[in-house]
Amino acid sequence: MIKMAVLGYGTVGSGVVEVIEKNKDEISIKANAELSIKYILDIRKFPGDPYEDKITSDFELILNDPEIQIICETMGGINPAYDFTKRALLSGKSVCTSNKELVADHGPELISIASEKKCNYLFEASVGGGIPIIRPLNYSLTAEKIDEITGILNGTTNFILSKMEKEGADFFEALKEAQASGYAEQNPAADIEGHDTCRKLAILSSLMTTKNVNYKEIYTEGIKRITKDDFAYANSLNQTIKLLAISKYDEDNNFYACVAPFMISKEHPLYFVNGTFNGIYVHGNMLGYSMYYGKGAGKLPTASAVVADVIDCARHLGKTVMCFWDKENITVAPFSKRSGQFFVRIIDTPENKEKAEELFPDMTLVSPMRDGEIAFITAHLTEASFAEKEKLLDGKIISRIRIAL
Ligand code: HSE
């Protein structure tokens, strides 16, 4: 019998308890032991809950109980999750988490403590909810040099963009619906401004490069500026708009990472990732492309990934499972040097047209979908060069969206 504790009895924490209860027979076979939840940490009271007798608000009780070998941290946020996780690992207890903020911020330190103490810090649920992606990067793809990861990593924004595309929904209507579906972060800015995606990309990129990718160095732009009209243009070009997280080595081995809305074509496998689903498209130098797709958020998919980590810990008590994430920071190439094409809409006046033609001599015009505007696609240019030209068209640009390769 392996005794465990769950920190945080919210959406994911209660999901963990449910998965362990519902699938206990399968789990005992796969863990080669019975798993038993001894404590659930929460400051709230849950009168009448079937697990009421296990609920405590005292973390020290869990920490000082030698019977507890595995802890699920499903509290979210940095504090007190960081302190609890660090102390649990220092005392030799394995920790499994869905906490993407904490993993992105303190991953290498916590992994290294786990390794010193011969226990594990596992975080499959921190990216892509129930989609296996951390384990493929740590196990199945270890013979590869991974040179590119492109992902749709946030269910809330993908739900909003899909609603705008397919039903012509307004941004704020779609956001309200996403919040009601329970996938959105408490502060929806974390979703719509791209910060949640950015942290998830930092985690994947760190495993991809085996060094630490500091999420603060990832250029991040959210979806607030995307309108229904942008989708009308995207559709006319056989494209759609997705919030993409992209990490890539270029031919000179410079490492780039960014989060931004991109137009992607119908040919791209991520085109078909809709609603709250996530998709992660990985390129390895031997394998070529592989794609990981599924429920990127939600109680049971996320809890399932946490419990799979618990089973891994149970199978490896006293041993550390390999994870390739060094403390050393990788140099993220300046985003200004990234090169690509842009779709641009400007107000239609003779002066604006002349200015646009002067600034973007190689542009390709796109049939306007709305009166009073000019739309075009630029040739390849750097972010720095585009930003300079954008400034010169100050106040005349209606929208501009990057185009994925
Ligand atoms: N708010 C996140 C999302 C939850 O929408 O993807 C899962 O990390």
Side-chain angles (χ1 to χ4, degrees):
M1 167 97 61
I2 296 175
K3 301 249 165 120
M4 48 182 289
V6 177
L7 312 186
Y9 200 33
T11 308
V12 181
S14 59
V16 166
V17 174
E18 191 176 330
V19 171
I20 288 181
E21 178 55 37
K22 270 209 180 123
N23 286 352
K24 64 171 168 264
D25 295 343
E26 290 78 4
I27 291 170
S28 315
I29 293 169
K30 289 166 192 164
N32 202 21
E34 201 185 314
L35 299 182
S36 160
I37 296 172
K38 185 166 179 185
Y39 303 106
I40 299 171
L41 182 79
D42 207 294
I43 47 171
R44 297 166 295 177
K45 304 251 178 280
F46 295 84
D49 188 278
Y51 294 88
E52 192 182 358
D53 60 325
K54 299 183 190 297
I55 295 171
T56 172
S57 57
D58 182 7
F59 175 68
E60 305 306 319
L61 183 67
I62 299 170
L63 187 70
N64 295 321
D65 185 336
E67 275 194 341
I68 297 293
Q69 292 179 289
I70 304 171
I71 292 179
C72 298
E73 186 271 294
T74 50
M75 311 171 76
I78 303 294
N79 290 311
Y82 171 58
D83 177 54
F84 289 176
T85 301
K86 192 168 170 177
R87 291 167 67 208
L89 294 170
L90 283 169
S91 73
K93 300 182 196 300
S94 287
V95 177
C96 307
T97 189
S98 55
N99 188 338
K100 55 239 167 163
E101 279 169 274
L102 185 60
V103 177
D105 236 358
H106 294 283
E109 182 199 0
L110 297 170
I111 289 164
S112 142
I113 295 174
S115 166
E116 275 162 35
K117 296 292 171 184
K118 297 198 169 20
C119 57
N120 285 288
Y121 182 55
L122 301 185
F123 45 90
E124 181 63 71
S126 66
V127 183
I131 307 172
I133 181 61
I134 304 296
R135 207 161 269 108
L137 291 173
N138 269 339
Y139 284 82
S140 325
L141 300 175
T142 41
E144 295 289 320
K145 174 177 165 60
I146 310 279
D147 47 30
E148 184 192 335
I149 294 180
T150 302
I152 294 173
L153 303 179
N154 182 273
T156 302
T157 44
N158 204 44
F159 176 86
I160 295 171
L161 294 175
S162 300
K163 276 261 163 191
M164 288 171 79
E165 182 198 16
K166 305 215 181 304
E167 296 168 28
D170 170 78
F171 183 92
F172 289 101
E173 280 166 31
L175 171 62
K176 264 194 222 147
E177 217 178 305
Q179 284 170 315
S181 75
Y183 292 157
E185 298 298 308
Q186 275 182 347
N187 173 6
D191 292 309
I192 60 183
E193 287 173 10
H195 305 308
D196 177 74
T197 303
C198 166
R199 287 181 170 85
K200 290 166 174 168
L201 181 65
I203 296 170
L204 295 185
S205 306
S206 298
L207 299 178
M208 163 182 164
T209 62
T210 72
K211 300 225 162 44
N212 186 48
V213 175
N214 181 347
Y215 72 89
K216 292 177 192 141
E217 289 184 31
I218 299 178
Y219 173 85
T220 299
E221 196 180 300
I223 62 163
K224 268 199 318 217
R225 289 172 15 172
I226 305 298
T227 64
K228 285 193 260 187
D229 288 347
D230 292 321
F231 275 104
Y233 278 100
N235 189 38
S236 79
L237 293 164
N238 276 330
Q239 308 250 345
T240 189
I241 303 164
K242 297 284 187 197
L243 182 67
L244 294 186
I246 303 175
S247 276
K248 205 171 178 154
Y249 283 105
D250 71 7
E251 311 75 57
D252 303 320
N253 219 27
N254 298 307
F255 174 75
Y256 287 89
C258 74
V259 172
F262 278 81
M263 277 200 187
I264 61 167
S265 89
K266 281 193 173 153
E267 314 302 318
H268 199 296
L270 292 174
Y271 179 95
F272 298 100
V273 177
N274 287 310
T276 52
F277 280 81
N278 283 192
I280 304 137
Y281 196 47
V282 179
H283 188 266
N285 64 341
M286 298 290 125
L287 168 69
Y289 283 106
S290 58
M291 183 156 144
Y292 307 83
Y293 169 80
K295 287 256 172 94
K299 175 176 168 165
L300 292 176
T302 310
S304 169
V306 175
V307 177
D309 279 348
V310 170
I311 295 170
D312 216 359
C313 289
R315 284 169 167 176
H316 294 99
L317 287 175
K319 270 189 243 151
T320 305
V321 172
M322 284 304 283
C323 175
F324 308 95
W325 184 343
D326 205 72
K327 279 183 184 162
E328 188 194 333
N329 279 345
I330 193 167
T331 306
V332 180
F335 186 63
S336 55
K337 290 194 174 162
R338 176 197 168 269
S339 173
Q341 287 178 287
F342 291 77
F343 164 77
V344 185
R345 292 162 58 201
I346 59 170
I347 300 163
D348 186 6
T349 66
E351 307 84 74
N352 288 355
K353 190 160 189 235
E354 198 183 322
K355 191 81 191 161
E357 280 168 352
E358 178 198 319
L359 292 170
F360 302 100
D362 300 321
M363 69 178 173
T364 309
L365 281 170
V366 172
S367 299
M369 305 292 292
R370 300 287 173 258
D371 289 341
E373 59 187 59
I374 303 166
F376 59 91
I377 294 173
T378 68
H380 280 263
L381 75 175
T382 62
E383 291 283 342
S385 166
F386 182 81
E388 223 170 80
K389 293 169 197 286
E390 195 178 19
K391 245 189 229 158
L392 295 169
L393 279 170
D394 190 27
K396 295 158 182 119
I397 293 190
I398 301 166
S399 75
R400 92 288 186 275
I401 302 168
R402 294 175 182 86
I403 299 182
L405 291 179

